[in-house]
Amino acid sequence: MTKTINKLSIQHLFTPPPGLPNVASSLGHHTQDITEALEIRITKNNNFMSFAEYMQFCLYHSQLGYYSGGLHKFGPDGDFTTAPEISPLFGECIAKAIAPLLLNHPEWSICELGPGRGALAESIIKHLARLNALPQSYQLLEVSASLSDLQQTRLKPLNKLVEIKHLQQAPENFKGIILGNEVIDALVVERFYVNDECELFQIGVSIQNEKLVEVAQAAPAYLVEAIQNLDIDIPKNFRSEICCQLKPWLQNITQGCKEAILLFSDYGFSQREYYSPERNDGTLRCHYRQHAHNNALILPAIQDITAWVDFTALGNAALELGMEIPAYSTQAHVLLGSGHLQDIDFEAMNEVQRFQTSKAIQTLTLPANMGERFRFMQLNKNCDELIPAMQLRDLRHQL
Ligand SMILES: C[S@@+](CC[C@H](N)C(=O)[O-])C[C@H]1O[C@@H](n2cnc3c(N)ncnc32)[C@H](O)[C@@H]1O
């Protein structure tokens, strides 16, 4: 039976197309609340919501958003699996890579942005303890209250190793290393379209015949300016994304930093690759129960929405904020460059452990898996330290 709240059909929004698992019936009230709130927002604004506002609503609505709610997001039973969730080896490699810097600067802390379920924090703290290179404190900055609760529970036993702080806002008077794995791809993006006459449109959503549909309107001035500020010309007949929040977000994170190294890892590439003519439908991906697809207009606030990271834009934002870019490389090279994978004692493992470890290394490093598609960028503020593992392959010329 089609249930309709005034104009927007719940059934249309929450019945996934064939091939995707159904939404649990226990989420009935939740889907109704989401539909009502979405409809009010869109109709209040002349039946138009920019894609950025829609993504903000879906992911970060204060009560209903994907990241605000307690849905099971991570791991095999959730929607997606990140590198630290695949294996503690990922965090151990990062720990090994940054240990020399922490030994040089005993007064430094680590601040992790968007720590998810705390898997990266756990593996880094445990491995830094083995290396006798623990920082002053390990700080976690999270926007999701439910994930912050999970992080606190998981990391409590590690408080005996290092002071763990759960932050509500960017760190102040900070000296140390800021980490962010798959956080920038969770920032809200605008979607745009350039037609064959080079006219620029802002993509958004609207309600028509009880359905959420994609619509386009003349781009507002801020979006025109953001596209004009790119280092390259956008091809004709081209749809893509741009993260207008990137620079203000980076500024907010770093304004309280006295001396910092920032290390970001994420899906992404340079601007030339991001806006290359063959990628004419953008990089937007939705993740739902381990299925990836690109229809963001279904399952609002029930599925994850991400866009790949434009690392040229990240680098440019950092330069404009007075920072430097000492390194940009692939995940495979950084993990291998840390030297940790080469130290693994396979002889001491049983067959199952050997198999699981080899499989994790393959997933994390093979080019067809995460090895090439995931990039690492180091940014320095008031600091000239290098991370040796980041130097194994320098891809800054691609930016
Ligand atoms: C895709 S998950 C990645 C989680 C974790 N880093 C991992 O690798 O498993 C994105 C994380 O970023 C958080 N997040 C999103 N926007 C954020 C922001 N502006 N500041 C801090 N955390 C944010 C989300 O709540 C979530 O924990």
Side-chain angles (χ1 to χ4, degrees):
M1 192 185 70
T2 305
K3 176 140 199 269
T4 303
I5 300 178
N6 301 327
K7 297 178 190 145
L8 197 52
S9 146
I10 294 186
Q11 194 182 45
H12 166 69
L13 284 180
F14 295 101
T15 306
L20 293 185
N22 286 329
V23 174
S25 51
S26 56
L27 289 176
H29 278 301
H30 190 51
T31 56
Q32 187 161 341
D33 291 347
I34 293 167
T35 312
E36 279 171 1
L38 192 54
E39 181 181 323
I40 290 169
R41 287 279 187 93
I42 297 174
T43 43
K44 217 166 60 181
N45 194 24
N46 279 336
N47 201 12
F48 180 84
M49 193 181 203
S50 72
F51 185 82
E53 289 165 331
Y54 174 72
M55 186 167 169
Q56 178 75 32
F57 173 93
C58 291
L59 299 186
Y60 303 113
H61 181 283
S62 54
Q63 291 97 44
L64 304 168
Y66 178 78
Y67 279 112
S68 327
L71 294 176
H72 200 97
K73 305 165 186 60
F74 296 82
D77 305 330
D79 299 313
F80 55 82
T81 307
T82 58
E85 296 276 342
I86 289 169
S87 165
L89 284 173
F90 179 77
E92 290 168 10
C93 288
I94 293 181
K96 178 117 188 230
I98 60 176
L101 281 68
L102 293 169
L103 291 169
N104 269 349
H105 299 274
E107 76 286 10
W108 276 14
S109 286
I110 294 176
C111 175
E112 187 186 340
L113 311 175
R117 291 204 299 191
L120 183 61
E122 183 181 73
S123 52
I124 289 183
I125 294 171
K126 285 183 175 171
H127 203 60
L128 286 176
R130 284 178 214 120
L131 299 170
N132 283 321
L134 282 164
Q136 275 294 311
S137 66
Y138 197 102
Q139 311 181 6
L140 300 102
L141 177 61
E142 176 57 72
V143 290
S144 156
S146 63
L147 288 175
S148 185
D149 287 347
L150 278 178
Q151 292 155 20
Q152 295 187 32
T153 310
R154 179 173 192 161
L155 300 175
K156 208 168 173 191
L158 300 182
N159 249 319
K160 58 182 186 293
L161 296 175
V162 65
E163 184 189 7
I164 297 178
K165 296 183 186 171
H166 297 272
L167 309 182
Q168 309 256 310
Q169 52 200 26
E172 281 175 19
N173 297 320
F174 183 81
K175 286 186 178 181
I177 301 174
I178 294 189
L179 300 173
N181 184 62
E182 286 205 46
V183 182
I184 300 182
D185 73 354
L187 297 182
V188 161
V189 291
E190 289 278 357
R191 296 204 87 193
F192 63 86
Y193 172 65
V194 175
N195 68 9
D196 56 5
E197 282 159 18
C198 292
E199 291 167 314
L200 177 65
F201 295 88
Q202 179 184 41
I203 293 177
V205 298
S206 172
I207 302 173
Q208 287 172 18
N209 301 326
E210 298 183 356
K211 292 182 178 155
L212 206 54
V213 293
E214 188 180 277
V215 287
Q217 66 174 21
Y222 71 87
L223 185 55
V224 175
E225 195 186 331
I227 305 270
Q228 281 170 349
N229 284 343
L230 293 174
D231 284 351
I232 52 157
D233 293 329
I234 301 292
K236 292 177 181 175
N237 288 316
F238 193 85
R239 278 153 57 99
S240 192
E241 296 81 39
I242 184 166
C243 182
C244 297
Q245 287 192 350
L246 193 55
K247 187 174 163 194
W249 176 79
L250 190 62
Q251 182 166 27
N252 175 49
I253 296 299
T254 53
Q255 63 195 0
C257 291
K258 289 187 160 169
E259 172 183 43
I261 283 187
L262 294 91
L263 194 59
F264 291 113
S265 41
D266 227 310
Y267 294 98
F269 27 51
S270 70
Q271 208 155 83
R272 226 172 314 133
E273 295 162 277
Y274 207 97
Y275 299 117
S276 73
E278 62 272 19
R279 197 164 280 111
N280 60 4
D281 198 27
T283 67
L284 199 83
R285 293 306 267 165
C286 303
H287 297 272
Y288 172 61
R289 311 266 300 272
Q290 298 295 335
H291 293 260
H293 64 94
N294 58 8
N295 187 357
L297 303 199
I298 58 167
L299 306 171
I302 297 282
Q303 66 178 358
D304 187 29
I305 308 176
T306 70
W308 286 35
V309 173
D310 171 355
F311 276 100
T312 304
L314 177 62
N316 285 344
L319 293 174
E320 285 164 24
L321 294 169
M323 289 182 254
E324 284 166 295
I325 315 168
Y328 170 60
S329 194
T330 69
Q331 174 161 304
H333 286 85
V334 179
L335 300 191
L336 289 166
S338 75
H340 179 63
L341 300 178
Q342 295 85 330
D343 286 348
I344 294 171
D345 185 0
F346 282 95
E347 296 298 317
M349 294 179 186
N350 64 33
E351 210 165 315
V352 174
Q353 290 167 329
R354 254 200 302 274
F355 173 76
Q356 286 171 339
T357 306
S358 309
K359 196 162 169 250
I361 293 174
Q362 286 176 17
T363 309
L364 293 172
T365 62
L366 283 183
N369 289 314
M370 300 175 89
E372 278 280 326
R373 280 180 293 162
F374 273 73
R375 300 289 164 98
F376 273 62
M377 180 173 266
Q378 180 187 343
L379 304 172
N380 282 18
K381 177 170 178 184
N382 303 334
C383 170
D384 52 15
E385 286 279 7
L386 296 177
I387 299 175
M390 290 288 296
Q391 303 294 313
L392 186 61
R393 186 178 177 206
D394 183 3
L395 291 179
R396 283 177 297 171
H397 60 277
Q398 291 185 355
L399 293 172

